[in-house]
Amino acid sequence: MLSLHIKIFDSMKTVLSGIRPTGNLHLGNYYGAMINFLKMQEENKCFFFIADWHSLTTHPDPALLHVNVTNILSEYLACGLDPGKATIYIQSDVPEIAELYLLLSMLAYVGELEKTVSFKEKARQNPDNVNAGLFTYPVLMAADILIHNADYVPVGKDQEQHLEMTRNYAKRFNHRYGIEYFKQPEAYNFGQELIKIPGLDGSGKMGKSEGNCIYLIDEPKTIEKKVKGALTDSGPEGPNMPKPDYIENLFSILKVVSTPEVVAHYDHLWNTGETKWYGSMKKQLAEDIIKVTTPIRERIHSIKSDTVYLRKIQKEGAEKARESAGKTLLEVRKIMGFKSF
Ligand code: TYM
């Protein structure tokens, strides 16, 4: 019995992921990341955190930082993250991550960082604030992941390149110090392609900075209004035409919130070339989104006001995360040659 238990424990994978507290959680965060956090916490050793240091690269407002962290923590719990199953913590409560970030930065080359897509995008959006934190964002992210030596990192499609960079730093560390210490963490979606939830404005991904989000906390009326306002046209120009991007986007959201029958129904209407059904599809889409978000929204409100509970979760999460992080850091220091007298 004991040996069986040890075997199960040994085969457990370490899972880690985080979300920046730059606003409320939206459908992209939910279907790109949270859905997998919820499934993975059942069978793995999981670490889910709030990336507040990362948020400073673009959102340094002290009046909003704590509000946003409180929002995300409440939303994590309202979605069903369970502190009894996963370690839930705030990045800035774990200073070990900052030290590993510094150590890993010796393995990160400027040329590579300059080519990072997220850096180039953010620098273009915000040319007056191209700070060094933004530049080394992938190094901090690698420190988040490697501090617990994670196997799997459930994330959406937009984080794929950051994971590739994390693996490079892990490989470089192992190679430089001649030891297979760090694992090669993978962006994970149960063997499926990573998800990208589009916006409702036909412009690519749903994102806070794109201003095209449906938030888990949105009231039903707001969701109806947003969906109603989604970009469409006068209908297919004939049977079996390819869908333009903005229509494909609506179908992509329908696919994650509705049943396969509903999707098949509207696909059929599209393929027959019929017109005048977009209104019905939008109504159905809004209804199905509201079905998913309503119970979460109701829980968010009650959790957010319970500061005693939130404080307890923060403290316990930080303790557990620091215990794991501290072990890694000690080993890393030793491998790198730090010694005390
Ligand atoms: P962030 O805060 O932008 O997004 C959090 C998670 O939500 C996913 N996501 C999406 N997935 C599908 N479609 C979308 N439209 C969409 N928008 C967001 C993201 O892929 C992500 O999984 N750098 C990270 C935070 C982070 C992190 C980490 C993640 C910091 N350290 C370590 C994993 C491991 C970020 O900015 O995510």
Side-chain angles (χ1 to χ4, degrees):
M1 191 63 190
L2 182 67
S3 67
L4 183 67
H5 175 76
I6 290 170
K7 206 157 172 215
I8 291 170
F9 189 77
D10 278 351
S11 65
M12 247 193 191
K13 295 290 183 192
T14 300
V15 174
L16 172 134
S17 198
I19 297 183
R20 278 172 310 148
T22 50
N24 294 101
L25 294 189
H26 54 74
L27 287 186
N29 300 134
Y30 188 72
Y31 286 103
M34 180 55 71
I35 281 259
N36 286 344
F37 296 4
L38 296 173
K39 284 194 231 157
M40 294 179 94
Q41 73 176 346
E42 299 303 327
E43 289 183 358
N44 303 281
K45 184 175 177 190
C46 287
F47 295 90
F48 298 121
F49 73 101
I50 298 172
D52 56 350
W53 281 332
H54 275 109
S55 75
L56 296 181
T57 58
T58 52
H59 290 65
D61 185 347
L64 285 180
L65 187 61
H66 187 66
V67 177
N68 282 338
V69 169
T70 310
N71 285 342
I72 301 292
L73 182 57
S74 311
E75 290 174 355
Y76 269 9
L77 298 165
C79 285
L81 283 194
D82 179 349
K85 294 177 180 163
T87 301
I88 300 169
Y89 63 98
I90 300 164
Q91 187 181 35
S92 61
D93 281 337
V94 184
E96 289 79 5
I97 299 167
E99 185 175 332
L100 186 60
Y101 165 56
L102 181 141
L103 299 175
L104 291 177
S105 70
M106 313 302 163
L107 300 160
Y109 299 120
V110 169
E112 267 168 357
L113 291 168
E114 274 170 346
K115 285 190 214 129
T116 314
V117 173
S118 60
F119 172 69
K120 289 197 286 188
E121 240 171 52
K122 294 256 156 59
R124 191 163 24 82
Q125 284 164 359
N126 229 331
D128 296 332
N129 188 21
V130 186
N131 58 74
L134 194 62
F135 189 62
T136 57
Y137 188 110
V139 187
L140 180 56
M141 191 159 154
D144 292 327
I145 298 168
L146 298 178
I147 198 79
H148 303 297
N149 220 342
D151 297 279
Y152 294 138
V153 185
V155 280
K157 180 96 185 138
D158 58 335
Q159 300 298 317
E160 212 166 23
Q161 189 183 28
H162 292 153
L163 260 295
E164 200 182 308
M165 294 173 84
T166 300
R167 284 193 295 278
N168 283 342
Y169 303 145
K171 268 186 241 160
R172 251 172 237 162
F173 179 93
N174 293 350
H175 185 252
R176 182 170 293 177
Y177 298 104
I179 177 170
E180 278 306 306
Y181 182 70
F182 285 125
K183 296 178 194 162
Q184 304 291 304
E186 280 172 48
Y188 189 79
N189 182 23
F190 291 91
Q192 308 284 317
E193 260 286 293
L194 300 184
I195 301 271
K196 178 178 127 185
I197 300 293
L200 288 172
D201 51 357
S203 70
K205 99 168 175 162
M206 183 176 287
K208 289 165 233 175
S209 42
E210 285 77 4
N212 60 6
C213 296
I214 294 184
Y215 294 100
L216 300 181
I217 202 164
D218 277 345
E219 292 294 329
K221 285 234 155 346
T222 312
I223 295 176
E224 279 164 11
K225 204 169 149 209
K226 286 182 179 176
V227 174
K228 214 169 169 187
L231 185 67
T232 47
D233 51 26
S234 53
E237 282 168 11
N240 298 316
M241 298 289 286
K243 296 185 186 97
D245 283 351
Y246 48 93
I247 298 296
E248 193 66 65
N249 286 354
L250 285 183
F251 273 90
S252 299
I253 304 180
L254 200 67
K255 276 183 199 147
V256 292
V257 295
S258 303
T259 61
E261 291 73 29
V262 167
V263 179
H265 170 68
Y266 290 108
D267 241 343
H268 176 73
L269 289 176
W270 173 270
N271 287 328
T272 52
E274 266 186 61
T275 54
K276 302 207 169 66
W277 47 270
Y278 285 155
S280 138
M281 179 163 113
K282 284 180 172 180
K283 193 161 167 277
Q284 177 79 47
L285 180 59
E287 246 171 52
D288 290 338
I289 294 173
I290 291 166
K291 231 183 266 168
V292 174
T293 56
T294 294
I296 300 175
R297 186 184 68 253
E298 288 167 359
R299 285 194 295 269
I300 295 172
H301 290 304
S302 68
I303 294 171
K304 209 161 45 174
S305 55
D306 193 347
T307 33
V308 174
Y309 176 58
L310 292 177
R311 197 175 305 130
K312 178 171 173 282
I313 301 292
Q314 175 179 9
K315 186 167 171 283
E316 288 176 2
E319 277 165 13
K320 282 206 271 172
R322 289 198 70 183
E323 196 189 325
S324 158
K327 273 189 203 147
T328 307
L329 197 56
L330 268 185
E331 287 167 354
V332 166
R333 283 192 197 145
K334 204 164 144 201
I335 292 168
M336 291 179 77
F338 292 97
K339 276 189 187 151
S340 27
F341 292 101

